[in-house]
Amino acid sequence: MENFQIIYPLGFPPKDESGVMFFNNISNNTMFERFTFGFPPYLICTRARPEQPKTKKHPSPNLVIPDNQQLKATENTHTHTHTRTQVTRLVNQRPNTSTTPMFRSLKLKRSLQSIITNTQTSHFNQTLKPQISSQLNLIRHFSSPPPPPTPPPLSAASSTSSELRKYLGYSALLLSCAIATYYSFPFPENAKHKKAQLFRYAPLPDDLHTVVNWSGTHEVQTRVFLQPESLEELEAIVKDANEKKQKIRPVGSGLSPNGIGLARGGMVNLALLDKVLEVDKEKKTVRVQAGIRVQQLVDAVKEYGITLQNFASIREQQIGGIVQVGAHGTGAKLPPIDEQVISMKLVTPGKGTIVISKDKDPELFYLARCGLGAFGVVAEVTLQCVERQELVEHTFVSNLTEIKKKHKKLLNDNKHVKYLYIPYTDTVVVVTCNPISKWWSPAKFKPKYSLDEALQPIRDLYQASIEKYRGQSMASSSTAENETKISDLTFTELRDKLLAIDPLNKDHVKKINEAEAEFWKRSEGYRVGWSDEILGFDCGGQQWVSETCFPAGTLSKPNMKDLKYIEDVMELIDKEEIPAPAPIEQRWTASSKSLMSPASSSSNDDIFSWVGIIMYLPTTDARQRKQITEEFFHYRHLTQARFWDQYSAYEHWAKIEVPKDKDELAALQARLRKRFPVEAFNKARAELDPNRILSNAMLEKMFPSDDNASM
Ligand SMILES: Cc1cc2nc3c(=O)[nH]c(=O)nc-3n(C[C@H](O)[C@H](O)[C@H](O)COP(=O)(O)OP(=O)(O)OC[C@H]3O[C@@H](n4cnc5c(N)ncnc54)[C@H](O)[C@@H]3O)c2cc1C
């Protein structure tokens, strides 16, 4: 407990150690931890720490830290890139130090006023007065610089009894704080905002980084955010952190909806290690630093006539991040993206820098390829690419009955295929992408409707909804934004605005879905473009998402469970009246040999279906976001309870949410053990990262081991 200082709550002994002054004195390199001790008054502990490893003062172009302004500006481009300076700006937006004392003293004055009023008729007036005035001294300390004269001393007897009362008061306060602490901790998950409330006015150190995931659903604050510029620097960071047992969880672009890359203890980010190191045109392979973003990589290798085999909906992920979570695109013959990794250079805390591949330590290679950032910082990746391709995208609208008839053909005949289901309608949007053939001529396929015509139904609904909700408080925030011309909004922006009006009203959501179905009907047609452009998808704004992966048979013999799963989900939505927005996205991949991949299988023939359910967070209003969050978790829980075991469905690693409830957590751990080699995973971690500096609470909860008591 060296260098341990305690900041007392206001009016708590000793009087001359006023908490506020301590706040002002917190220096930049003081690591401080905060504890609430009971309620309103809080006990804050600061502990001087040896200086932290310095954070690079370079911008982090890859880190995604959305703020509301930026989200508005770039909602549909998915390029919410902030710099580290902006991280600091986010922090600095909070009220500055000087507001803290004033805020507290005002509160105290108000309570004193009530004490004075209440005690005016009391026969304890005599003895109370000095106490009040001594507290008033305290107020003046905070609100105006010169302290008032000290009140005259009391007689010995009254001083003893007032001392006694004072210490009785202190004891009572201490006891009630302890009781409140006992009953308030741990805060339930949904009390996060309450915790934040307590410290809303507290100043934050300049070098505190706020890191938020793309959806704004997970956030950490840390003072250790390292961005090495060279492999040597990364190696030194890992070595040093391991010696000091300092957490440095690898984080990529921070896109994972569940914030799996975030850690309060500290993070390392490879945004500045983003070079293409080697291209082998013959073999169509590329060796890159793992901090390179997918789009950057694709742009850099296109001059060699090659590209990645498949893409996720967006291309802002770092290669390290997209591989480590086993991300995927769609195409029943195409495996998830990790399967394209030929070798990886890992900087590990336990064994230094190692290179692993199919030939060199295959066991570890297949375990660490989709390794969730647990085995080492992936510094370099060699990827198998494919020839650069132009694709023809075909979008058409169908329904489940029709789809059932041609499902096998759709899976087999198309390089990429996905279905978008629209709850409360029978619409299934089918999107296929295939290499352009010499017979294909765009002139033959003129779209029936212009974009304006396709958007008209949703624009009309927006106008009608504004009218309908006019005057209702619920709609006020979104109608205020009416000055943005409706005609300037994309489909997903309009959907977000419509949802923001009344996000949990099933009938309202149903109307939006119907307008969406009509939009897709009017958007039927063809599009041609390079694979990296065509395979992207505008996923809309911030959102909660749960995506599961389950076996769907083989290409030659699809088991049709994928379509049954959808039928079940649609039935559930109807029956439970879930305000489920569109789309429910269904995609397919071939299997992966990575042992931790949800599509892991030793058989090349197996295919897997990936189904994502969603609820958007179209508002910045904390209360509304909380309500949507609760509704989403209810929706997710229902699908989990009814279908996951039945279909052997497992969540995407970037989308799995770890439950707070002990029993649910135990059930999740048991499920994960059934599907994944958790023992081997933990054993390899123990060797490569013995001090768990690369881990975070989420990993420890999912994969507990006997020696993680220190986490
Ligand atoms: C709008 C949107 C659309 C998406 N679409 C898809 C989709 O179509 N398909 C899909 O599968 N996913 C999709 N995702 C999820 C996304 O692809 C994954 O979450 C991906 O991992 C994000 O990459 P990242 O660089 O942001 O990694 P992060 O989220 O920062 O980290 C992910 C994991 O990788 C680890 N990691 C990162 N870098 C390294 C490193 N250098 N060394 C070791 N470990 C590392 C982290 O520790 C963490 O475990 C989407 C996400 C969003 C927000």
Side-chain angles (χ1 to χ4, degrees):
M1 297 285 269
E2 242 180 29
N3 287 329
F4 210 87
Q5 299 171 321
I6 296 174
I7 298 182
Y8 295 98
L10 285 179
F12 209 70
K15 275 190 215 129
D16 51 353
E17 279 193 53
S18 60
V20 175
M21 298 314 289
F22 272 84
F23 274 130
N24 293 338
N25 289 342
I26 288 168
S27 73
N28 281 351
N29 56 11
T30 304
M31 181 71 179
F32 77 107
E33 293 167 7
R34 298 156 168 209
F35 305 96
T36 25
F37 188 75
F39 62 101
Y42 37 85
L43 192 69
I44 291 185
C45 303
T46 76
R47 182 173 47 190
R49 273 267 200 102
E51 211 176 315
Q52 298 297 316
K54 278 212 179 84
T55 317
K56 286 264 148 238
K57 293 288 175 204
H58 297 279
S60 153
N62 290 8
L63 189 71
V64 176
I65 300 132
D67 63 11
N68 299 335
Q69 285 292 332
Q70 189 160 8
L71 275 172
K72 251 176 135 182
T74 56
E75 219 161 33
N76 285 292
T77 59
H78 304 305
T79 51
H80 307 286
T81 45
H82 291 233
T83 62
R84 268 199 52 235
T85 338
Q86 284 170 304
V87 181
T88 314
R89 185 172 55 73
L90 275 180
V91 171
N92 288 348
Q93 279 166 355
R94 309 180 92 171
N96 63 25
T97 329
S98 59
T99 58
T100 310
M102 186 55 74
F103 170 73
R104 296 217 181 96
S105 63
L106 283 172
K107 271 189 94 167
L108 191 64
K109 272 176 187 163
R110 219 175 297 133
S111 62
L112 278 172
Q113 190 65 47
S114 62
I115 294 175
I116 293 163
T117 326
N118 291 343
T119 53
Q120 255 162 6
T121 52
S122 158
H123 59 274
F124 286 120
N125 261 1
Q126 281 301 311
T127 45
L128 274 171
K129 264 180 192 160
Q131 266 187 314
I132 294 165
S133 58
S134 78
Q135 288 190 30
L136 279 167
N137 279 348
L138 200 65
I139 303 168
R140 286 183 199 113
H141 272 300
F142 299 135
S143 50
S144 59
T150 323
L154 298 166
S155 71
S158 66
S159 131
T160 319
S161 72
S162 80
E163 281 291 292
L164 188 67
R165 265 195 299 274
K166 190 167 81 183
Y167 284 109
L168 277 176
Y170 292 152
S171 310
L173 183 58
L174 192 60
L175 193 67
S176 53
C177 284
I179 292 166
T181 305
Y182 180 82
Y183 285 104
S184 337
F185 281 85
F187 278 117
E189 172 79 305
N190 62 6
K192 203 174 161 198
H193 63 288
K194 285 185 201 157
K195 267 192 283 183
Q197 278 302 85
L198 284 177
F199 302 116
R200 205 165 36 163
Y201 296 92
L204 293 166
D206 287 342
D207 60 346
L208 198 69
H209 301 272
T210 299
V211 187
V212 189
N213 69 336
W214 184 90
S215 278
T217 49
H218 294 270
E219 173 186 318
V220 291
Q221 291 185 327
T222 184
R223 304 191 70 175
V224 180
F225 189 83
L226 307 171
Q227 294 189 299
E229 282 182 81
S230 64
L231 176 65
E232 294 71 38
E233 213 177 301
L234 172 64
E235 288 170 332
I237 284 171
V238 173
K239 187 167 177 279
D240 191 50
N242 191 41
E243 279 163 16
K244 293 180 178 151
K245 300 193 174 161
Q246 165 65 55
K247 282 244 181 293
I248 44 159
R249 172 116 180 106
V251 64
S253 297
L255 295 175
S256 294
N258 61 358
I260 191 173
L262 308 183
R264 200 169 51 130
M267 283 167 275
V268 61
N269 172 263
L270 301 197
L272 304 174
L273 290 174
D274 61 350
K275 312 238 165 3
V276 173
L277 299 172
E278 200 181 328
V279 181
D280 187 328
K281 214 177 149 185
E282 289 276 290
K283 292 184 181 157
K284 298 191 182 73
T285 58
V286 58
R287 186 163 63 89
V288 293
Q289 291 182 315
I292 194 167
R293 281 173 296 119
V294 171
Q295 187 65 63
Q296 252 180 305
L297 166 59
V298 168
D299 290 344
V301 298
K302 70 174 153 203
E303 63 179 286
Y304 301 94
I306 59 174
T307 192
L308 294 181
Q309 187 192 42
N310 209 352
F311 296 92
S313 304
I314 52 165
R315 295 170 300 279
E316 294 304 316
Q317 305 91 337
Q318 288 183 10
I319 286 296
I322 201 166
V323 166
Q324 285 289 292
V325 292
H328 65 97
T330 192
K333 290 178 197 153
L334 306 172
I337 288 150
D338 52 275
E339 192 63 25
Q340 300 308 302
V341 177
I342 298 169
S343 73
M344 293 194 303
K345 185 177 274 179
L346 289 182
V347 180
T348 73
K351 295 206 164 160
T353 303
I354 55 171
V355 178
I356 50 173
S357 67
K358 289 174 195 177
D359 309 318
K360 218 170 166 187
D361 204 346
E363 211 175 309
L364 180 59
F365 175 67
Y366 287 117
L367 193 59
R369 203 161 58 166
C370 170
L372 314 180
F375 298 106
V377 183
V378 180
E380 290 174 18
V381 182
T382 305
L383 291 153
Q384 181 64 59
C385 294
V386 295
E387 203 173 304
R388 198 159 182 248
Q389 281 173 339
E390 264 193 301
L391 300 178
V392 184
E393 180 195 77
H394 180 201
T395 303
F396 64 94
V397 168
S398 187
N399 57 58
L400 208 45
T401 320
E402 283 303 309
I403 292 289
K404 271 185 195 167
K405 292 182 203 156
K406 47 189 179 193
H407 182 50
K408 184 177 169 187
K409 193 165 158 49
L410 280 166
L411 287 185
N412 275 274
D413 291 0
N414 294 294
K415 184 161 186 200
H416 307 270
V417 61
K418 70 177 169 199
Y419 302 158
L420 306 172
Y421 301 90
I422 305 191
Y424 297 111
T425 75
D426 66 353
T427 301
V428 184
V429 183
V430 181
V431 185
T432 63
C433 284
N434 290 295
I436 194 164
S437 95
K438 58 183 172 186
W439 308 115
W440 197 85
S441 149
K444 278 200 231 161
F445 302 100
K446 279 247 160 75
K448 246 180 158 171
Y449 296 91
S450 68
L451 180 63
D452 275 335
E453 285 168 331
L455 287 168
Q456 205 50 53
I458 191 133
R459 285 178 183 163
D460 291 345
L461 179 64
Y462 185 47
Q463 285 288 15
S465 303
I466 288 172
E467 288 302 314
K468 183 178 164 197
Y469 284 85
R470 195 182 295 282
Q472 289 185 26
S473 59
M474 226 184 258
S476 59
S477 59
S478 33
T479 50
E481 290 163 18
N482 212 7
E483 65 277 4
T484 319
K485 274 176 66 193
I486 294 180
S487 57
D488 290 345
L489 301 174
T490 64
F491 176 79
T492 52
E493 285 169 338
L494 280 162
R495 182 178 58 202
D496 254 18
K497 285 197 174 294
L498 268 161
L499 283 168
I501 293 173
D502 203 355
L504 299 176
N505 179 335
K506 187 207 85 182
D507 294 325
H508 181 61
V509 174
K510 201 173 155 184
K511 279 191 194 142
I512 300 170
N513 290 357
E514 282 158 5
E516 177 152 0
E518 188 54 34
F519 166 76
W520 284 111
K521 205 172 271 174
R522 295 180 183 203
S523 304
E524 282 186 329
Y526 294 84
R527 211 161 57 113
V528 179
W530 294 101
S531 60
D532 57 290
E533 296 157 4
I534 282 283
L535 292 171
F537 179 62
D538 181 354
C539 310
Q542 291 196 339
Q543 53 197 251
W544 280 109
V545 55
S546 163
E547 188 180 28
T548 48
C549 172
F550 54 91
T554 60
L555 255 185
S556 54
K557 223 177 172 182
N559 64 17
M560 302 300 276
K561 282 193 176 167
D562 40 9
L563 299 188
K564 178 81 181 73
Y565 186 94
I566 295 292
E567 272 183 327
D568 285 349
V569 172
M570 290 300 196
E571 208 180 295
L572 175 91
I573 290 171
D574 266 341
K575 204 166 146 224
E576 301 290 334
E577 305 204 339
I578 297 165
I584 291 176
E585 193 179 11
Q586 184 167 41
R587 293 179 281 180
W588 290 266
T589 65
S591 63
S592 164
K593 287 200 186 62
S594 302
L595 299 170
M596 295 298 289
S597 167
S600 154
S601 169
S602 53
S603 164
N604 285 338
D605 295 339
D606 285 347
I607 60 168
F608 289 83
S609 181
W610 302 72
V611 176
I613 58 166
I614 201 165
M615 265 193 195
Y616 300 96
L617 292 159
T619 164
T620 50
D621 179 274
R623 194 176 48 88
Q624 216 179 16
R625 284 176 78 97
K626 186 170 171 273
Q627 286 167 349
I628 297 171
T629 300
E630 279 165 9
E631 186 64 35
F632 172 77
F633 277 88
H634 171 64
Y635 178 19
R636 175 182 168 274
H637 176 77
L638 291 174
T639 61
Q640 172 183 357
R642 308 211 183 154
F643 314 130
W644 291 6
D645 280 343
Q646 189 189 335
Y647 287 89
S648 303
Y650 287 84
E651 275 184 304
H652 190 312
W653 291 118
K655 300 169 188 183
I656 188 168
E657 296 287 342
V658 174
K660 276 265 149 58
D661 178 86
K662 263 188 180 171
D663 295 338
E664 284 179 34
L665 181 61
L668 171 68
Q669 291 164 352
R671 269 195 111 235
L672 294 177
R673 279 182 185 274
K674 260 204 228 165
R675 173 76 174 104
F676 302 105
V678 173
E679 227 164 88
F681 182 85
N682 279 340
K683 190 163 167 259
R685 287 210 290 164
E687 280 171 25
L688 297 170
D689 181 19
N691 295 317
R692 296 286 163 87
I693 61 164
L694 306 176
S695 190
N696 64 1
M698 183 180 243
L699 283 199
E700 293 314 312
K701 283 182 182 160
M702 290 195 290
F703 311 112
S705 59
D706 297 339
D707 60 333
N708 71 351
S710 60
M711 296 303 302

